[in-house]
Amino acid sequence: MLRKRTGRPRRQSKKDTGFTLLLLSNSEKKPVQFQLPPLFFKGLLTVTLLLIGLTGYGLISAALLKPVARQKVVLEQEIAQLRAEQDKIRSENQNLRAYSAQQDKEMQNLQEVSAEIKNNIENLQGRDSEIRGKLGLPAESSASGSGETAQAETQASETPVGEAKTTEDLQPLMLGDAGESDIYDTTAGTPAENILQRESNIQLSVLMGARQRRNTMQLAAELEQSRAMLSEASDNYDQYEGVIRSQEFQEEQRRERATQRRQSIRAYALSFLGGRYVWGGENPYSGVDCSGFTRYILSHAGGVYINRTAAEQAQQGREVSIDEAKPGDLIFYSNGSRVNHVAMYIGDGRVVHASNERNGIMVSRWDYRTPVHIRNMIGE
């Protein structure tokens, strides 16, 4: 307890001023006395006020920081959502890049198919012209061509291969690699608005990519259809060429048989060189005149039967020029008024004939006399 001192007053100094604390004042023992200077109480008061101030500051700070903490939590959630959207955008961007590479490959394949179709069309046009030339058809009719070739050429020419979209056309639709500074940039709007905008861009890119995919698939289907039509037209041309080759082969066989036939006629006629000339004779073995000689050779070596006299023979067969003459053709000569002699052409500008009784069967130049007719009796 605190008790004020009694007794004779004495002079107090600054050192004696203060408060005295007595312990066990009511006991019989001597109380314990503590003297508390004013500075102690001032310090205690200061500490108390400081604690009160700190407590109040803490309460005020807590009250002020509570909305900030809530805003921090919201921002952290938005940042986490933005990071998730960033991962999603990067994944979509990778998918778009892979799709772009696939589109490049598909467009390259389509360009190769288009070039192949163009070459096939040019080849078919060349084959068409060649076949028409072999068949003797007019060249201007080739403009109409076969239905398959014309239709395939039209489709191939109208196919917008060069106008098809490439990855360069898709670049505006592709999202670049967005950094964190771009993700967290809210100058264009709130984070939620930015997310919606990016999702809209991604959906638009996917939609355009799907549309481009459909266009590419449609173009590929049209090119494949054109290639199938060209293949069918090519098969038809193969059949035509097979028929033509067969006809050419048959024609070649016929020409070869005709050549062999004419060579046989020539060899058979030359086998009688030096034979006797007999006016009115029909057999080279016993004697023969000019028309009897040609009639005998053609009938026995060529299977061709002609009239008996030179004048009658000159009315048969087909007229040809000396440039067209082949072994076995007959050359007729005249005495000025009528045909009176015939010889057989054997090639190289020469003829074999039963000349006269003095020379018999001999070889002469085709123009040893002035010819008036050259006739193809064999018909080949």
Side-chain angles (χ1 to χ4, degrees):
M1 94 181 252
L2 298 176
R3 187 175 61 177
K4 196 173 182 182
R5 289 182 179 182
T6 60
R8 189 178 61 180
R10 59 179 181 177
R11 187 178 179 181
Q12 297 180 350
S13 64
K14 290 182 179 182
K15 184 177 180 181
D16 295 334
T17 59
F19 293 91
T20 302
L21 179 62
L22 297 178
L23 299 177
L24 303 176
S25 60
N26 294 328
S27 66
E28 295 179 355
K29 297 180 181 182
K30 185 179 179 178
V32 179
Q33 182 178 356
F34 294 95
Q35 186 177 1
L36 300 176
L39 184 59
F40 173 78
F41 290 98
K42 290 181 180 180
L44 181 62
L45 179 61
T46 301
V47 171
T48 304
L49 292 177
L50 181 59
L51 291 176
I52 293 173
L54 291 175
T55 304
Y57 178 77
L59 294 175
I60 294 173
S61 298
L64 293 177
L65 291 177
K66 191 173 183 180
V68 176
R70 288 196 299 267
Q71 186 177 3
K72 179 182 178 182
V73 173
V74 172
L75 288 177
E76 289 178 349
Q77 293 177 352
E78 291 180 352
I79 289 174
Q81 186 177 5
L82 288 175
R83 289 183 182 277
E85 288 297 326
Q86 181 185 16
D87 295 338
K88 180 180 178 181
I89 290 172
R90 286 178 176 174
S91 177
E92 293 290 341
N93 191 31
Q94 292 177 355
N95 294 335
L96 288 177
R97 288 182 182 275
Y99 172 77
S100 177
Q102 183 181 1
Q103 286 291 99
D104 285 342
K105 185 176 181 180
E106 291 180 356
M107 289 304 302
Q108 184 178 1
N109 294 336
L110 291 180
Q111 290 174 355
E112 293 177 356
V113 172
S114 177
E116 179 185 354
I117 291 176
K118 182 179 179 181
N119 293 333
N120 290 338
I121 290 176
E122 293 177 354
N123 294 334
L124 288 179
Q125 289 176 343
R127 294 174 66 182
D128 181 81
S129 300
E130 181 180 357
I131 289 174
R132 289 181 178 277
K134 292 179 179 179
L135 296 177
L137 299 177
E140 57 270 17
S141 63
S142 63
S144 59
S146 63
E148 295 83 1
T149 305
Q151 186 176 359
E153 181 178 358
T154 302
Q155 290 184 357
S157 61
E158 293 179 354
T159 301
V161 175
E163 300 177 0
K165 292 184 179 299
T166 61
T167 53
E168 296 180 356
D169 300 321
L170 295 176
Q171 289 298 329
L173 302 178
M174 294 180 60
L175 299 177
D177 293 332
E180 292 187 1
S181 59
D182 297 331
I183 292 294
Y184 301 142
D185 184 10
T186 58
T187 56
T190 63
E193 292 175 349
N194 293 335
I195 293 172
L196 292 177
Q197 182 64 33
R198 290 185 180 275
E199 288 183 350
S200 177
N201 292 337
I202 292 175
Q203 293 176 358
L204 178 61
S205 299
V206 173
L207 178 61
M208 295 297 293
R211 183 175 301 174
Q212 177 66 20
R213 175 70 176 177
R214 288 195 298 271
N215 293 336
T216 303
M217 294 177 64
Q218 182 179 1
L219 178 59
E222 292 177 355
L223 289 178
E224 188 62 29
Q225 182 180 4
S226 298
R227 182 159 61 177
M229 296 175 64
L230 287 175
S231 177
E232 182 179 358
S234 179
D235 293 339
N236 292 335
Y237 279 115
D238 290 339
Q239 295 178 2
Y240 299 153
E241 289 182 345
V243 173
I244 291 175
R245 282 194 296 269
S246 177
Q247 293 176 350
E248 290 177 347
F249 177 77
Q250 294 175 3
E251 181 65 21
E252 182 66 25
Q253 292 292 317
R254 187 190 65 80
R255 286 195 296 267
E256 184 177 352
R257 288 193 300 269
T259 301
Q260 293 176 355
R261 183 183 182 188
R262 287 180 177 273
Q263 293 299 326
S264 298
I265 294 173
R266 176 180 180 274
Y268 190 64
L270 292 176
S271 67
F272 293 102
L273 285 178
R276 291 176 59 203
Y277 176 89
V278 176
W279 187 83
E282 298 182 356
N283 191 332
Y285 292 101
S286 58
V288 69
D289 61 9
C290 64
S291 58
F293 176 74
T294 56
R295 185 170 184 268
Y296 184 89
I297 296 299
L298 288 178
S299 63
H300 285 77
V304 178
Y305 300 92
I306 58 178
N307 293 327
R308 174 63 183 86
T309 65
E312 292 174 342
Q313 293 176 5
Q315 303 299 319
Q316 294 180 269
R318 177 172 59 89
E319 187 77 19
V320 295
S321 66
I322 187 59
D323 294 330
E324 299 172 330
K326 298 177 183 179
D329 291 343
L330 301 183
I331 299 179
F332 298 90
Y333 304 89
S334 172
N335 59 3
S337 60
R338 63 184 181 85
V339 173
N340 65 348
H341 188 66
V342 59
M344 178 174 289
Y345 187 71
I346 58 174
D348 298 329
R350 298 183 303 164
V351 295
V352 58
H353 59 116
S355 176
N356 50 45
E357 293 180 353
R358 179 169 58 88
N359 296 324
I361 300 175
M362 62 179 295
V363 173
S364 304
R365 285 180 53 84
W366 75 278
D367 56 352
Y368 81 102
R369 290 176 58 184
T370 302
V372 293
H373 297 290
I374 303 176
R375 310 291 290 185
N376 179 355
M377 300 295 182
I378 300 175
E380 297 177 343

